[in-house]
Amino acid sequence: MSYIALKMLMGDRGKYLGIVMGLTFASLIMTQQPAIFVGLMMRSYSFVTDVGLPDVWVMDPKVQFVDDIKPLQDTKLFRVRGVSGVDWAMPMYKGMIKARLADGTFQTCNVIGLDDATLIGGPPVMLEGRLEDLRRADSVIVDIDGAREKLAKPPKEPGGKPVPLKVGDTLELNDRRAVVVGIAKTTRTFQSQPVVYTTYSRATLYAPRERKLLSFVLVKARPGQDVHALTRRIRETTGLAAYTQAEFEELTVNYFLKNTGIPINFGMSVTLGFIVGAAIAGQTFYNFTLENIRQFGVLKAMGAGNGTLLGMILLQATLVGMVGYGLGVGLTSLFGWSMRNTILAFKFPWQLLVFSGLGVTLICMFAALLSIRKVIRLEPAIVFKG
């Protein structure tokens, strides 16, 4: 009976391909769009992930996400260092500063100021130069994407490709000279602005004149110290906000989920993909059953019970579901691979495979139920009519 069910399904190539294409479309939308959404959300806190080393981030209590900088007084650093359980605490500057390029244009950069003595919080991977080179005069380290794209020098010939920024080149940050001493690999941020690293003292010179310039205090807990207990102690002692890395990432993601239209837009895309896929697959599968209703009637007249016919329809729905799901996931993976070196955010965790699989299963169940209802009510006498 399984062989007969498969022969019936594949005998009508047009409808078989129509069902598969509908499920492929649904699977593709239900994996590709959430993968882009997850990639965007991970980029929103990518800076926190890149720093990595500190256990606790200390900041102004009004900070809502990682780029919502509300500077502190430098004296707050010493108060944090005085809290019991703190192994070390280092300052960090983070701000948006305009860079003047060789052709006179301006580009806003994400400038990161690291502690002068330890350089804690530097880029995760150095491609050229050394992190220690930041101690040289007027030195900065630029991320590779910014060096190749937004900070690149004008092409040597009209219509040519821009020349990537390299070690030894100079640029201006707030009318002050900066010399590139290294190229680093960093994770793209949500705004995809170039990232420029320098020392804390030099960053305060590049920054516009303000009374408060300390963005974050990076804290490392002493060995054996419970990190969550330390964050509570810092809050109670200093009156500042203190978060673990995971808590700071969650704070940032929650801000974007609650205060932007991103989740609504992607949610609508996924919902429409599910509805369109269900409509195409359900309608086509139902038409396929109607066209083969006489064959089902013959089988029923020969003694096949409702359970046998039910199993045939479920086998057909399972086959087209597996094929459509596999094609959709494969196309999503191919899309992600082709976009790996572009500005597009894309992250494909295994949870999305489960999510898409459940969606395709629901569509197949819907399509099968439409057909099962028709077959269960079928009278064998239909074979002898007309």
Side-chain angles (χ1 to χ4, degrees), residues 79-337:
R79 294 195 62 186
V80 174
R81 285 175 174 172
V83 176
S84 175
V86 172
D87 189 15
W88 49 254
M90 301 301 169
M92 171 176 279
Y93 171 86
K94 184 177 188 295
M96 308 300 287
I97 300 177
K98 288 186 178 181
R100 188 173 186 273
L101 309 183
D103 60 352
T105 59
F106 289 87
Q107 171 62 52
T108 302
C109 298
N110 200 350
V111 176
I112 311 298
L114 313 177
D115 176 61
D116 293 50
T118 62
L119 299 179
I120 287 176
V125 179
M126 290 295 299
L127 301 178
E128 297 181 40
R130 303 177 306 155
L131 183 60
E132 294 78 10
D133 292 337
L134 283 180
R135 297 193 175 97
R136 293 160 53 181
D138 301 328
S139 56
V140 296
I141 293 175
V142 180
D143 76 295
I144 183 65
D145 295 317
R148 290 175 176 174
E149 299 170 5
K150 296 183 178 180
L151 295 180
K153 294 180 290 186
K156 296 180 179 180
E157 300 178 357
K161 294 183 178 181
V163 180
L165 206 65
K166 62 181 186 298
V167 174
D169 289 340
T170 62
L171 49 86
E172 290 183 11
L173 291 172
N174 200 13
D175 295 328
R176 291 180 179 271
R177 180 173 178 266
V179 181
V180 178
V181 297
I183 303 294
K185 177 62 178 177
T186 63
T187 307
R188 285 185 185 268
T189 60
F190 186 82
Q191 297 176 337
S192 295
Q193 301 287 7
V195 182
V196 178
Y197 291 88
T198 187
T199 61
Y200 181 81
S201 60
R202 194 175 300 121
T204 58
L205 296 177
Y206 291 143
R209 301 296 299 174
E210 294 183 35
R211 187 168 58 90
K212 302 176 182 179
L213 290 172
L214 178 62
S215 303
F216 301 108
V217 178
L218 309 181
V219 175
K220 187 72 173 178
R222 288 179 180 172
Q225 170 66 53
D226 181 73
V227 177
H228 295 284
L230 179 59
T231 58
R232 290 194 298 269
R233 197 176 304 127
I234 292 174
R235 294 191 195 106
E236 294 169 357
T237 305
T238 64
L240 301 174
Y243 303 102
T244 64
Q245 177 176 319
E247 290 172 344
F248 197 19
E249 293 172 356
E250 183 180 0
L251 178 73
T252 299
V253 170
N254 288 338
Y255 174 85
F256 281 94
L257 292 179
K258 295 177 181 178
N259 296 281
T260 67
I262 296 175
I264 297 176
N265 292 335
F266 280 96
M268 290 179 62
S269 298
V270 173
T271 302
L272 288 174
F274 178 85
I275 293 174
V276 171
I280 295 175
Q283 180 66 30
T284 309
F285 199 75
Y286 183 72
N287 289 339
F288 161 79
T289 303
L290 289 179
E291 291 187 3
N292 289 276
I293 198 69
R294 295 182 66 85
Q295 285 80 353
F296 283 113
V298 170
L299 293 174
K300 214 168 188 180
M302 294 173 62
N306 287 333
T308 301
L309 300 181
L310 175 63
M312 294 175 64
I313 293 175
L314 290 178
L315 176 62
Q316 294 169 341
T318 300
L319 176 64
V320 293
M322 292 176 63
V323 174
Y325 171 74
L327 289 174
V329 170
L331 289 173
T332 299
S333 301
L334 181 62
F335 172 82
W337 180 82

